[in-house]
Amino acid sequence: MRVLVVEDEAQLSEQLAGALTRAGYAVDCVADGETAEFMGQTEGYDAVVLDLGLPKMDGLAVLRRWREAGIRVPVLVLTARGSWHEKVQGIDGGADDYMAKPFQMEEVLARLRALIRRSGGQASPELRSGAVALDPRSSSVTLDGVPVKLTGHEFRVLSYLMHHCGRVVSQGELTEHIYSQDSERDSNTVEVFIGRLRRKLGAEFIETVRGLGYRIGEAP
Ligand code: CA
């Protein structure tokens, strides 16, 4: 899964990026509204953390433009402390949740997990398919209850497929959701990660749908 952090306070942006990276997400950071609007329009994100007070274009305008363009990515808005009118504007503008600054990082992570889960239609915090369970709260994976060790990329591939259980996901889509903007992208490596996941979780667990992509679980 991949998250966009839009925050112009450098220190806060770094803290958010660090916490999200440790939690297993690919993370991009931008510090102004124009770049944020562009990135949201051109890249595939699973969630966005959006500050409202931004240079060049404010966060509310960015959000409105995304929504007008039909971009439905879940957005967690960061508001100034006690600013109820910012919350109201944010929610009216298409935000899915908000948090007042200063905040606890753990709460941001929990709210993002909930947003991502809801946008994928999952009710339970733990994702399950057959004998495999993935817990986004601890970034952990088990097979028949036994912990399985995965690299960051393997975890992101598995997490994306399990958040979209039953749907065929193309190699291009997977590539977009497991790498941050500044990492070396090579769609062939997705095949490598799939191969390693099959060795660790069972060859049958990830189905190859010829010419289309990969699928976990039954088609709906
Ligand atoms: Ca700001």
Side-chain angles (χ1 to χ4, degrees):
M1 307 304 260
R2 184 177 175 200
V3 176
L4 177 65
V5 173
V6 187
E7 170 60 68
D8 58 325
E9 287 172 50
Q11 203 186 351
L12 185 54
S13 178
E14 269 173 41
Q15 286 169 357
L16 282 162
L20 286 163
T21 304
R22 283 190 294 278
Y25 299 98
V27 184
D28 291 331
C29 294
V30 298
D32 71 81
E34 276 177 16
T35 314
E37 196 217 343
F38 176 76
M39 294 288 278
Q41 301 258 17
T42 52
E43 300 289 324
Y45 293 104
D46 299 292
V48 177
V49 180
L50 179 66
D51 183 33
L52 291 187
L54 294 168
K56 294 186 186 172
M57 189 194 303
D58 71 63
L60 276 175
V62 173
L63 184 56
R64 284 205 194 94
R65 289 194 184 193
W66 282 344
R67 294 313 189 215
E68 279 164 17
I71 293 162
R72 283 150 60 183
V73 62
V75 174
L76 172 63
V77 157
L78 303 178
T79 66
R81 186 179 189 179
S83 178
W84 62 268
H85 59 276
E86 275 191 5
K87 286 177 198 166
V88 173
Q89 286 176 324
I91 292 165
D92 281 344
D96 300 276
D97 200 358
Y98 63 84
M99 285 205 65
K101 293 178 182 181
F103 48 75
Q104 293 295 320
M105 203 54 82
E106 281 305 313
E107 191 176 350
V108 172
L109 295 176
R111 285 176 185 267
L112 280 177
R113 284 194 296 271
L115 287 182
I116 291 170
R117 194 168 73 221
R118 270 186 254 141
S119 75
Q122 276 103 22
S124 140
E126 193 184 64
L127 305 173
R128 271 186 176 280
S129 182
V132 177
L134 183 148
D135 193 335
R137 294 167 294 187
S138 51
S139 316
S140 60
V141 174
T142 57
L143 174 64
D144 283 322
V146 179
V148 180
K149 215 167 157 42
L150 300 180
T151 66
H153 284 114
E154 290 163 12
F155 179 80
R156 288 200 281 277
V157 168
L158 181 66
S159 179
Y160 193 79
L161 288 172
M162 286 190 75
H163 274 92
H164 298 90
C165 238
R167 177 158 87 69
V168 180
V169 178
S170 72
Q171 223 172 62
E173 183 179 346
L174 265 177
T175 306
E176 186 152 46
H177 287 266
I178 64 168
Y179 291 111
S180 59
Q181 173 81 352
D182 51 10
S183 54
E184 291 279 325
R185 289 195 209 187
D186 176 0
S187 62
N188 292 323
T189 57
V190 165
E191 263 180 75
V192 175
F193 300 138
I194 295 280
R196 289 195 208 141
L197 284 168
R198 282 180 173 145
R199 278 196 290 283
K200 292 179 182 183
L201 302 171
E204 306 296 305
F205 182 62
I206 301 171
E207 181 191 351
T208 298
V209 182
R210 202 166 291 281
L212 296 176
Y214 305 100
R215 176 167 60 203
I216 284 177
E218 294 293 307

